[in-house]
Amino acid sequence: MPKLTTHTFRKLKGQRPIVAVTSYDALTARYAAEAGVDIILVGDSVGDTMLGFDTTIPVTLDMMCHHGAAVVRARTGTLVAVDLPFAEAHHGHDRLLDSCRRIMQETGADAVKIEGGAELAPAIARITAAGIPVWGHIGLRPQQVLVLGRYKKFGATPGEIETLIADARALEQAGVFSIVLELTDHEAARKITAAVSVPLIGIGAGPHCDGQILVAPDLLGLTTGGIPSFVQQFADAAAEYRKGFAGYVAAVREKKFPR
Ligand code: KIV
């Protein structure tokens, strides 16, 4: 399969369901790519899934560049996007442009993902005008958790649906190639998906989006904390890890390894 670009990715809307997944290291990226995912997101969820933080808020630009570069080094031929971390999008244009530049140049990624709605559209339009492909992210934005008080579902009221449609349209106008829609009422997701020409990739947003994204440790059954109720575990990788480590510890203690 030829490598997708952000342009050809965009054209997948209405053609077939799009599959996205997170990855934070070269090893996992290779397995995800082998399975045929359309795009890998180096999400700031690296913070709460892999680095031991409670939220994505402590994740820094340096961390994202570090993990983004590792995924790109896997040279999988799969499209790679890297998250812009907490608060970076809310600096003035010069710093925002420089943060996106760092992600693109230091990691070699194909795109930057930015959490934000209509209020960020003018800033995002300047980033896309600078030649940087942007993946939008609306609905629940985990970087807002301290203001929201909890990870809450969006799109439950007509007013919220209107706001989400306005957000999606503003981002489309700003030139994003796709939008992640997180934790949103399923019927609302259907309406938002129909309102724009770019692919809407849902997570906890039901079956009516153009595609789905899941956090890799959640779908693999590796996450040690709780996982969101919408996640389906497609493997029990934790059981394999436990078996492997326990076998190693026992073999050394019992002098069965090395032989
Ligand atoms: O950081 C992340 O993993 C994300 C996904 C939840 C879409 O933004």
Side-chain angles (χ1 to χ4, degrees):
M1 214 180 8
K3 180 180 170 167
L4 288 171
T5 64
T6 51
H7 273 267
T8 50
F9 182 91
R10 199 182 156 132
K11 290 187 186 140
L12 291 177
K13 186 174 178 103
Q15 302 296 312
R16 62 165 172 80
I18 300 170
V19 190
V21 74
T22 68
S23 187
Y24 319 106
D25 62 90
L27 193 64
T28 316
R30 285 192 192 112
Y31 289 120
E34 237 177 71
V37 300
D38 295 305
I39 188 166
I40 292 173
L41 169 68
V42 185
D44 60 357
S45 53
V46 67
D48 46 343
T49 58
M50 307 299 284
L51 301 180
F53 297 121
D54 291 332
T55 68
T56 59
I57 288 164
V59 176
T60 64
L61 191 57
D62 285 345
M63 292 177 193
M64 292 314 302
C65 287
H66 175 80
H67 288 277
V71 167
V72 172
R73 277 197 296 273
R75 294 185 200 288
T76 60
T78 304
L79 207 52
V80 176
V82 175
D83 249 336
L84 188 71
F86 180 68
E88 286 295 332
H90 297 270
H91 290 289
H93 172 68
D94 289 353
R95 174 151 169 187
L96 170 58
L97 178 62
D98 200 53
S99 300
C100 294
R101 176 201 65 74
R102 277 195 60 195
I103 287 178
M104 298 301 284
Q105 291 188 326
E106 293 182 23
T107 71
D110 301 286
V112 172
K113 180 166 80 56
I114 300 179
E115 290 186 15
E119 79 289 353
L120 267 187
I124 289 175
R126 294 181 73 183
I127 298 305
T128 57
I132 298 173
V134 175
W135 198 2
H137 183 153
I138 60 174
L140 172 68
R141 298 185 244 147
Q143 292 172 8
Q144 295 282 324
V145 67
L146 296 182
V147 173
L148 293 170
R150 66 193 164 91
Y151 295 119
K152 72 173 270 273
K153 194 169 197 160
F154 281 75
T157 64
E160 273 187 12
I161 298 174
E162 239 173 70
T163 303
L164 287 168
I165 290 176
D167 284 341
R169 287 191 171 138
L171 292 179
E172 180 182 27
Q173 282 292 311
V176 302
F177 71 93
S178 174
I179 301 170
V180 168
L181 181 65
E182 183 161 356
L183 206 54
T184 298
D185 174 82
H186 298 188
E187 278 312 305
R190 183 204 293 275
K191 291 180 183 148
I192 301 157
T193 302
V196 289
S197 66
V198 294
L200 262 281
I201 309 299
I203 174 162
H208 308 303
C209 297
D210 299 299
Q212 299 293 325
I213 182 165
L214 281 179
V215 167
D218 290 350
L219 81 88
L220 294 174
L222 254 188
T223 306
T224 48
I227 57 163
S229 57
F230 60 78
V231 171
Q232 185 173 332
Q233 288 192 340
F234 292 87
D236 187 0
E240 292 303 311
Y241 270 47
R242 287 193 177 103
K243 196 168 93 188
F245 285 124
Y248 171 58
V249 168
V252 173
R253 298 243 164 91
E254 292 161 20
K255 302 194 171 184
K256 291 182 179 156
F257 175 84
R259 288 185 198 279

